[in-house]
Structures are given as C-alpha cells and as structure tokens.
Amino acid sequence: MAFYSSKSKEKSGQAYSRKGRNKEEVACLSDVTQKFSEVVNTFSYDDLLRVTDYYKTYLAYVIEYDIKSVLQNLVTKNILSNDEAKIFKAKEERDGVAGVESFISDLMNKDSMVLVNLWQALAEELARFPSPNLTRILKEVTECGSDLLKEIQASLHPTPVKAHIKGLHEKHRGSVYESTRILEDQASTGNPHTRAVVFETRYTELMVISQYKRTYNETHHELEEMGKTHAELVEERTKVKCERIWTEQLFRRSPGSETPPNIVVVSGVAGIGKTTMVQKILFDWARGTQYQRFAFVFLFKFREFNLLDTETEPQMPLTRLIVRHYKYLNDPKLREILKKPESLLFILDGLDEYKHKLDFTQSKFCSGPEDYFPVHILVTSLVKRTLLKGCSVLITSRPTALEALDMERVDRFAEILGFFPEQRLIYFKKFFGDADQGKEAFQYVEENAILYTMCFNPSYCWIICSVLKSHFMVPQEERGATPRTVTELFVMFLHNILTNHRREAKDQLGILVKLGNMAYYGVTNRTLVFYDKFEMSTFGLQSDMSSPFLSGFLKEILQRDSTLEHTTYTFYHLTIQEFMAACSFYLDPSGRINELLKNLDSCKDGRFEILTRFLAGLARPSVFKTLGGILGEFERKTAKQILDWVKKKAEQVLQDRDKIDDEDGLFGQDKSEALRVCQWLYETQNQKLIRDTIGKDLKINFSGTTLSPLDCAVLGSVISCCGELEELDLSGTELTPECIRRLAPGLICCRHVNLISCHLTSTCCSILSSVLSSPHSRLIEMKMSNNRSMKDSGVDQLCEGLRSESCKLEKLSLSLCDLTSRCCPALSSVLSSPHSQLTELTLDNSNMEDTGMNQLFEGLWSKNCKLEKLGMSQCGLTSTCCSDLSSVLSSPHSRLTELGLSNNKLGDSGVAQLCEGLRSENCKIEKLWLKTCGLTSRSCSALSLVFCSPNSRLNELELKQNTMKDSGVDQLCEGLKSENCKLQTLSLMICHLTSTCCKALSSVFSSENSQLTELNMSNNKIEDSGMEQLCEGLMSEKSKLEKLSLSDCCLTSRCCSALSSVLSSPHSLLTELKLDNNKLGDSGARQLCKGLRNPNRKLNSLMLSNNEISDSEKENLRSLQKELKGTGQQVNIKI
C-alpha cells in the first residue's frame, strides 16, 4: 500500500535510483540479518536507547538514502500511521539529514517495541540496499552484542592517567584546546583583519570515505581529477559504493577485527580540509568528546620537519622532537608517558610538504624514544612500528605523495572527498551568517556547474563565498555582474583585496610581480610552503615585509605560520598561488613569456593545467579594465602571445584530421586532451577565437567518451560561447540527467546532435524538451536511438517541446527506445501541431502495434503535418493498419515521400491495400522499404500495377528477404518496363530466386522505358546461366544500370567471360559490381582483368572477397589496380 504520493528524489539536479543487491550478496548477508534480529532482542530498552543514540548520526546518513522504504516498512508493521509517515517524510525533504535525526529521536521517545522494529526494518533493508555503512553497523551490533555497551561507555570516558602525570596531562590538554578552539577566518575579501571564529560555528563535516584509490591520472591536475571523481561518486551513489567514515571513527575497530587500526592515512587534494580535519580531531580530544582512549595526542607538521635539517641537530631522539614542539613537556615524566604507547596518538600533517622521501627498505630503524636518528627515520620507524610499538599514527597527504608510503603498513586508508551537495549549502549558510542570503548565493552557484563543482573543496568554497558575499550583501539593483568563469571569480577576489589596500600602496605593482614570480616558482617546482629566510628572501619579499600594503595584502592570500623560530607562508589555496603566478606574466613586461610557453609545451604531468586556464582567462579586455584601473596598463602583447598559443594547441587537437581513425572520430589525440583545450577556450570567453579554433565545419565529436557533469558544463559553455555549432556527436557516451542539464546551454546552439546509445532517461527528455522550446534553439536534427530507458514517458516529455512555437526540429530518430503505443497520442499531437517543423521521424524497433499506428494516423491526416519521412520498421504492425495507412498516402495533405515498414507482418493482403494508396494521384511516396514483410509472388502483381501507374513517384523499393520467387519477379518486370515506371533502385536480396527470372530482368535492362540504375540480387541461386542472361541486357545500349550486387549467387569462372564483355562494352554504364562469396577462382579473376583493362570500362569498384582466388592472383590484381591508377583509370578492387 502507498502511504503518500511517490516523489522522485532529486538533489541539485541529481536523480537517484535505488539498486538492490544481487542474489549471491543477499545469500551471504542472510546469516548477518538473522543473527542481528536475535541480538537486538536481547537488549533492554535502556541499552537499546544507548546503542541507538550512539549510532544516530550514522543511521541518519543511511536512512536518508531512501527513508520512504523504511517508513513504508514501519507502516506495514503498524508501528507508524500513514499520517505520521507523511510528516516524517516531509521533515526529511525539508531538513535533509537533520530531519532524519529528528525522526530517529522521535522514535526513541516511543516504547521499546517501536525501537526494536526500527532496527528490524533496517536489517530487512540490508537485503535491498547495498550500503557499506549499514552493513558495518549491523555487523558491529551483532558481533559485539552486550560488549558494545562497554565500548560505548569506554569511548566517552578518558583513559585513566596516573596521579603524578595528571598535571602534565591537563596542561597538555589545555594547551591543545587553546590552539584549536579558534578558526582563523577572513571575514570577506577586502577586510584586512582576520576574525577569530569559534571552531564549531564554521566547521562543516567533510565527506570521508574508506577507499584507497591509486589511480590518479598524473597527467591531469589533481584538483581537476578530484572534481571529476567527486562528480562520478555523486552519480554512482556514494552511499552504495563507498563506506563513509566520520572523523571520530578513524581509529575505531572494524567488524571482524580484534584490534583497532594503529596506522591510518587520510588523503585529499590541496585545500580539501585535511589540516582542518586534524584540528577537529585535536579539538574534540581536548574538550573530551572524542578520542578519549588516547591520553596524549601530539601534532607534527612535515613542513616544520624540513627546518630541522638546516640546524645544528641533524639527528635527535623522539623525546627531543616532542619537546621542541611542546616545551612544557621538557620533564622526566615524558619518558614514563612514552612507556604506554597504546595511549598515544601521533598526528603527522602534510606528507606532501616533506622534502625527504620515506624509505621503508633501509636496514636500520629507531627502536627507542631516546635513540638519536634523523627525523625522517623517526617517522618511518613509527609507521613501521619498531618505535613505540602499539602507538597510533595518523598521516595526512595529498594523493601525489602517497608513493612515499609503504601502504602495506597502513591499517586504514581514508580519502577526503570534501563537501557533498547538502554540506555545501550548510557551509554557505554558516559563512554568510544570514541563511536566506547564503541560500540565494548557493542557488546562483548551483546554476554554474563549474563553480558549483569547485565547491566540493572547502578552500574553493571560502573563495567563492568571499567574493559573492560582497555581491549579495548589497541590494539587487546595485549589484554588478556575477562571475561565470573561474578566472572571473579570482579576478573579483583580487580586485576586492587590491581596492581595500589601495591607500597603502607605494610599489603595489612591483610587489605583486615578486609575489607572482615566487608563486610561479612554486607551481613549477611543486612547492607549496615558502620560508621567510629562503624563498621569501630570494624573491625580494623579505625586505618588503614592512610595507603596509604587503603585510595587509598577504594576510588575505597567504597563511602565516610561525614555529620553531621560523616563519612559513602558504597560499590559502593552491589555486590562489596559480592565479598569482599567471597574473605575474601580464604585470611584468620582461619577456619571460617564451620560457613559459616552452614549459607549457613540454610539461606532461598536469602541474600547469590550472595555471594555463588562468593565463587564457586573463587575456580579456574586461580583465584589463577591472585590474588595470588599480595596477595600471596590462601587458597586451602577452595576451596576444597567450591567445595565439591557445589557438594553435587547440587546433592541433580539434582539427587534426590527419590522424582520424574509427575510435577517435574527429580528434587525432586523446579526447581528454580535447576537453582540456575546451576549458582554456571557455576561460577566454572569446567567441571569435572559439569559432576559429573549432574550425569552419563547426563540428565536435566526443562519441564513446566518458564525460562527467563538469566536462559537460565546460562543453556546453564553450558551444554556447561559440554561438552556433553545426554538429555535436555524443553517441555512445553515458549521459546522466545532470550531464544533459549542464550541456543544455550548448545544445541550444547546435543544429545537429547525436545522442544515440547515451543511456538517456525520461528525466533527460524533460531537459531536452526545454532545449527544443527555447526561443534561441537552433536544433534541426536529434538522433536519440538506442536509449531504452527513455520509454513512453520520455517521449511524452519530448513532445511538449516539439509542440512549442520556438521548436525548429526537423529530424528525430527514436529507434530502440522501448516505446509502445502509449506514446503515440503525444506524437500524433506533434504531427498535427501548427508549430511543428518535423519532417523526419524514425520509430523503428518499437512495440507500437496497429493500435499505436492508428493513433499516429490522426496526426498524419492533419493538414498541419509536415512529415516527409517515417520509419516504422519492426513495430509489430500487421495488415490491419494498412487500409488506414493507404488512406493517409492518398490524402491531399500528406507530404510523405519515404516510408519504412520492414520487419512487420503486413503480408500480401496488407501490401495490396497499401498499393491502392501508392497509385493515388495525391501520393508522394518515392522510397518504400518492405524487407521481411512476409510477402510472396501475390504481392508482386499489385506492386507492378504501382510501377505502371502514371501517378506513382516510387523510385526506390526494398523487398529483401521476402519469398518472391521467380514468378513474382516476372510480374515485377512487367511493371518495370512500363513507360510510367520511375523506379531506379530495387533490392531483391534473399528472395528465393534462380536463373529462371534472369531473362525477364535482362529484358528490363534493355527496355528503353526502364529507369533502373541499381539492383541487388545477392544471396539468390542465380548461377552462371542466370548471370550470362543478365549480361545480355547489361550490354544493351539502353541499359542504365550502374550498380549491381550478386554476392553469394553460386557463380563460377564460367560466367566471367560474359562479365568481362560487359565491362568492355561501350554501352555499359556499370560503375559498381559486387561479386563477393562466389567461386570465381583464379581463372575468373584473370578474365575479369581483361575487361578492367579495356578503355571503355566505366567500373570503378569491384568486390571479389572470398572467391577462392590464390595469393599470387591477388597480387596480380593489386598490380593491375596500381597500374590503372597510374594511367588515371583508377578502380578499387577489394579482395
């Protein structure tokens, strides 16, 4: 029973569909669900309350995936009423995960039976919902049973500390609390003062998954790669594919394991929140809410380890390393603290910033905390567990540095994915402080796929919010343009800061050039951390630190960190570093641009990818105007050099026709390279450059490519910026509704779009419908065949757009889309619409049947119908629909010129009725396909009468695979010789013919009335005697035949003499001859060669595959082909 109307669950344009487990998986889990049911019933009500409260956050995450199913289960068990279920569902739709937590809390306030049934319902869901998180929860409860309560209790209370150490313990806890409770936060760009934000008010939970991905493509920028991965994981339903880990779970024991993990690695791209997550762990430990099994937690940063090597202590013991960072621990009690390693957690942050490579293969490791070793060996010894065996270690790193680790030593690997859609909105609301303004800004970003995808990264979120806050905080009428591209975003970011610090500037330009040069050095050498006594000094910034401008400006783009008597600087985000590096080439006219372009050409590892986008995006007059007003004139020569380089590189990828092959289509190089140059082109927003680069044909081919929503957004934006595109081929590319939505702005500008085999759904069709109805739409052709998930509902959606007065679509193919008669009324309404421009419609391989065809007739009869070509092959039609179809053909309003009815059971009676319409003076049919329609010789007399009719316009007829036999062909030939016959192309392939019919056909060739230019008789038993009779007609001066197919016709060398004579005949017009799969042999081949050498020969294509021709004779044929080519009488011989 349904307790509320179903509503498709869509978040941020993303449609989610449930996918259950297969039978094997269900069988494996049946034991878990059975044991779980037994265990959960052993808990007292109070104990079950404690367990539920402990898991509440995790259960909410699981249930939110499909709360409808859980509610349905509880209604079925009479635990909830329909009204209660509706209220809970509405709460979840309004508040998301918070609404689900509220739902669980409400159930916890009911009696024990309700709580037991909630858990039972979740266990039943396990069979249908392949969630790693749900599986983990149920296994933990099942395996631990009553011991779980002890673990819960232990996790909430601190590890006992000896009395004489307690003072040191409390001091350390207090110190860690003070250093982590505040989040240094920039209020907004242009505000020179950082503000101290209480950690909890700004921190937004990150998405961390338990999955080790060693497949990062090093030829791509890691942020770009992460963005695509993020989009794919959203598409693939993360809750199904990956186990989510909350920060407090990193060191928690896994089901089936006897001990908790000791060595944990957390990976994530730059700015994703690794260091902030570390701060969260320390903060929670210090305030006593999490990680209480550790008595002491120590934080070390790898960037600080770099400084130790430059001092007088190349080696030191672990105790010395700890004291250098925590001076108050310079106490004899430290040695006693280290004697209990199981209560210690070492956090090592930023492995990617360490200049040493950790070597796990060396022979000597540290085994005691008092032993002197280089710091990098102390680190490897902790991981290898030779030092303080039993202690816990957490290492954070960017993916690019993971090779330095011995992953076999790692007990748990987690990857930070950043923010998912709901978390992004939460961050915006927290940043703006005003929920409504935050939501307005977020909705703007949602519509810009490139900016929106960037929001997976918290640092990007900060930059975007910083820029947009100054925009959305003013009244709407006073707002300027909002950023569309990444470059525009960062230009606004820099402009806001420079405007605020304008009064402080003396040598503002010179300082920015120095900073940009240092940033470029960092990008080139993969350096993120800059030291005051090294890089800052080398690039001349140390002496400028007293400048009010530099000190104020730096606070907004550089993070300053003073430790171990040194000061380090890092850009708030790697992309800010890359943007400043790009700016330096426009601000500094020193001519470094040639060196830069050389580096861009030679680099293969993706380190310059984002930099290149900024270089392209900065080469715009609007940027010169925005930043030039503050900094002075930009170097326009640089802009020209950059744009020339971008155009050259893009043309190599998009227009390199010399390397075309079947797989690569229009692109000679990897299509990912094409996506990359599209990014550059989009950043330029230069319509002329984009049009010139794509080429005069204005065609783009991404067939068979894997495209993420972000890729689609870029592609859609480039095409939109171009203004028009002749053809876009996306066939064989899986496109989700989100992909189609992001492509839509570009699709509007295309004339021809190929979406064959793209896994389109009805939701996709709804978006495409809006594209068709757009007043700016240029679409005239859309190929959508082989999209079986579209179904009738998808066509219904499409038809809304097709009926629009703005729709210009002329050609639409919907073959193999699992359509039935239910979509025919909507299609019929399109055909009869006065606005419809549709002239071609293909519905082949659909289950329309006669009822659907009859519904289409209503539209076909309409005087508004402009349809000229209709494909209905293999649509389950019978003779029943043929009378009405005949009426359509004879209607004065009908414009049909081509009709495909192959593979339908029309039979002789159906064709006889059709022929009545074909003879009508109103009939305009020129091409008719009747392959495999169950026809016999009885249909041939009716067709012959059509040929003879003075009204007939028929010039092409397909009769392949019907049982015509010789008698049927004889009847056809009578009509073919009529002075009224206009037929030019006839296919009689696989029609059970023999040599008996060849005399009649020969007479057609020699008839002065015959218009026949193409005949296919392949796969019939013509034999040599039949071939010789055909040759008589072919040599007639009245023969107009140009193409003849006789493959697999039982021919031998005996007929080749006659064929050679045809080729030599001055009257023969034959240009194409197919003789594959016969037995002509070497003798036949040699005879044909005589005809090919004759100067009267007009043949330019000869097919001889599988004809028992020897290798030596094949070589002779190749030599002949080469010889004829040399004399200008080229012929293509396929052997």
Side-chain angles (χ1 to χ4, degrees), residues 240-252:
V240 174
K241 296 286 183 183
C242 312
E243 180 186 350
R244 181 179 177 181
I245 299 179
W246 280 258
T247 51
E248 65 268 21
Q249 292 180 314
L250 286 173
F251 287 92
R252 197 172 286 174

Side-chain angles (χ1 to χ4, degrees), residues 146 251 285 470 499 529-530 534 554 604 653 659 681 872 939 1060 1114:
S146 58
F251 287 92
W285 174 80
S470 60
T499 301
V529 183
F530 304 96
F534 302 106
L554 285 184
K604 303 297 180 186
V653 177
K659 298 180 184 177
L681 293 172
M872 296 289 292
S939 294
S1060 184
K1114 285 179 181 178

Side-chain angles (χ1 to χ4, degrees), residues 541-807:
L541 288 165
Q542 187 69 19
S543 58
D544 291 321
M545 289 306 293
S546 58
S547 157
F549 166 69
L550 185 59
S551 59
F553 179 78
L554 285 184
K555 284 183 181 178
E556 305 206 37
I557 66 167
L558 284 178
Q559 186 175 3
R560 186 173 182 271
D561 194 4
S562 294
T563 53
L564 298 178
E565 297 82 44
H566 287 265
T567 302
T568 62
Y569 295 90
T570 52
F571 286 88
Y572 274 109
H573 192 274
L574 173 61
T575 314
I576 297 178
Q577 180 177 333
E578 291 166 313
F579 178 71
M580 294 306 301
C583 284
S584 71
F585 289 95
Y586 286 90
L587 299 173
D588 180 13
S590 64
R592 295 180 302 132
I593 192 71
N594 292 327
E595 176 198 340
L596 166 70
L597 297 179
K598 193 179 294 183
N599 282 340
L600 298 185
D601 280 328
S602 60
C603 179
K604 303 297 180 186
D605 61 13
R607 72 182 67 189
F608 293 121
E609 179 53 36
I610 303 297
L611 172 71
T612 308
R613 290 185 202 174
F614 283 136
L615 289 167
L618 287 167
R620 296 172 56 193
S622 61
V623 172
F624 297 164
K625 184 178 178 181
T626 301
L627 295 180
I630 298 175
L631 297 172
E633 192 70 18
F634 262 45
E635 186 61 47
R636 292 179 182 269
K637 183 182 175 183
T638 298
K640 185 180 185 308
Q641 286 178 283
I642 291 292
L643 291 181
D644 287 346
W645 180 85
V646 167
K647 185 172 184 291
K648 179 185 174 184
K649 295 290 285 187
E651 282 176 344
Q652 288 173 0
V653 177
L654 300 179
Q655 293 189 38
D656 191 349
R657 300 297 197 271
D658 296 334
K659 298 180 184 177
I660 295 176
D661 59 39
D662 292 339
E663 291 183 5
D664 285 344
L666 293 180
F667 301 133
Q669 298 183 28
D670 190 337
K671 286 172 184 164
S672 63
E673 192 71 22
L675 282 171
R676 188 175 300 184
V677 299
C678 282
Q679 279 275 16
W680 306 343
L681 293 172
Y682 172 64
E683 289 296 325
T684 70
Q685 293 288 294
N686 187 323
Q687 187 180 51
K688 184 179 184 304
L689 175 71
I690 293 172
R691 288 174 63 88
D692 290 347
T693 302
I694 291 174
K696 62 181 181 180
D697 296 332
L698 294 175
K699 294 181 180 180
I700 294 181
N701 180 353
F702 277 102
S703 59
T705 309
T706 300
L707 296 178
S708 71
L710 178 59
D711 296 329
C712 292
V714 171
L715 197 53
S717 300
V718 167
I719 297 170
S720 176
C721 193
C722 180
E724 66 173 310
L725 193 74
E726 184 62 27
E727 183 181 328
L728 175 63
D729 187 353
L730 297 170
S731 58
T733 298
E734 186 170 352
L735 299 173
T736 64
E738 180 69 0
C739 287
I740 294 293
R741 190 165 83 88
R742 299 304 187 183
L743 279 168
L747 296 177
I748 288 171
C749 301
C750 298
R751 284 172 57 79
H752 304 269
V753 174
N754 187 341
L755 296 172
I756 294 173
S757 305
C758 288
H759 300 262
L760 303 181
T761 65
S762 59
T763 308
C764 297
C765 292
S766 175
I767 301 163
L768 290 170
S769 180
S770 65
V771 169
L772 294 173
S773 58
S774 166
H776 306 297
S777 177
R778 294 172 179 265
L779 265 174
I780 61 169
E781 181 179 10
M782 196 153 60
K783 298 176 181 177
M784 300 178 68
S785 297
N786 199 29
N787 286 290
R788 295 181 181 274
S789 297
M790 272 177 49
K791 304 193 183 296
D792 299 320
S793 57
V795 173
D796 289 344
Q797 304 259 24
L798 269 183
C799 288
E800 291 181 24
L802 289 167
R803 289 191 296 266
S804 166
E805 61 183 346
S806 299
C807 182

Side-chain angles (χ1 to χ4, degrees), residues 85 169 207 319 329 473 517 669 759 930 967 980 994 1034 1074:
H169 172 261
M207 178 64 72
T319 50
L329 290 178
M473 292 293 274
N517 290 343
Q669 298 183 28
H759 300 262
L930 295 171
S967 58
N980 293 318
T994 71
L1034 288 169
K1074 294 182 180 178

Side-chain angles (χ1 to χ4, degrees), residues 104-321:
I104 296 170
S105 296
D106 288 345
L107 292 187
M108 288 171 68
N109 291 326
K110 296 180 181 288
D111 61 39
S112 61
M113 185 56 67
V114 173
L115 215 48
V116 169
N117 275 284
L118 171 63
W119 283 98
Q120 296 283 15
L122 289 172
E124 290 163 16
E125 282 293 295
L126 189 63
R128 297 189 294 272
F129 173 22
S131 162
N133 281 86
L134 180 56
T135 305
R136 179 192 178 105
I137 292 169
L138 297 184
K139 282 185 176 180
E140 279 183 357
V141 174
T142 304
E143 289 179 12
C144 296
S146 58
D147 290 338
L148 179 62
L149 296 165
K150 296 176 185 175
E151 288 192 19
I152 293 172
Q153 194 71 13
S155 70
L156 300 175
H157 295 286
T159 297
V161 176
K162 292 180 179 179
H164 67 286
I165 296 176
K166 200 161 190 176
L168 207 55
H169 172 261
E170 290 304 321
K171 187 169 186 176
H172 181 59
R173 187 185 286 272
S175 174
V176 171
Y177 179 76
E178 285 302 317
S179 66
T180 57
R181 72 183 184 87
I182 298 299
L183 191 64
E184 286 293 317
D185 179 65
Q186 197 70 48
S188 62
T189 53
N191 186 339
H193 305 293
T194 56
R195 66 175 181 179
V197 179
V198 177
F199 190 82
E200 288 179 286
T201 63
R202 175 58 57 83
Y203 183 77
T204 304
E205 188 72 44
L206 293 159
M207 178 64 72
V208 184
I209 61 168
S210 176
Q211 182 184 39
Y212 181 39
K213 293 176 70 69
R214 289 290 289 273
T215 55
Y216 282 90
N217 187 341
E218 288 299 319
T219 63
H220 290 80
H221 189 285
E222 66 172 51
L223 288 166
E224 178 191 37
E225 193 71 26
M226 187 64 239
K228 291 181 181 179
T229 302
H230 198 275
E232 287 164 9
L233 281 165
V234 172
E235 295 294 326
E236 289 292 322
R237 303 179 306 279
T238 309
K239 296 180 181 181
V240 174
K241 296 286 183 183
C242 312
E243 180 186 350
R244 181 179 177 181
I245 299 179
W246 280 258
T247 51
E248 65 268 21
Q249 292 180 314
L250 286 173
F251 287 92
R252 197 172 286 174
R253 184 178 64 83
S254 297
S257 174
E258 293 183 6
T259 57
N262 289 116
I263 311 297
V264 175
V265 172
V266 175
S267 170
V269 298
I272 200 71
K274 299 182 295 296
T275 298
T276 306
M277 185 198 72
V278 165
Q279 185 174 345
K280 173 76 163 65
I281 291 170
L282 289 164
F283 178 62
D284 286 344
W285 174 80
R287 63 179 179 158
T289 58
Q290 299 293 343
Y291 286 92
Q292 296 308 289
R293 74 180 179 89
F294 298 115
F296 285 84
V297 179
F298 303 112
L299 169 65
F300 301 100
K301 296 182 178 180
F302 279 102
R303 71 172 68 166
E304 295 167 2
F305 289 166
N306 291 334
L307 299 170
L308 297 174
D309 288 344
T310 66
E311 299 180 0
T312 56
E313 290 187 272
Q315 296 188 359
M316 66 178 70
L318 179 63
T319 50
R320 173 67 178 147
L321 183 64

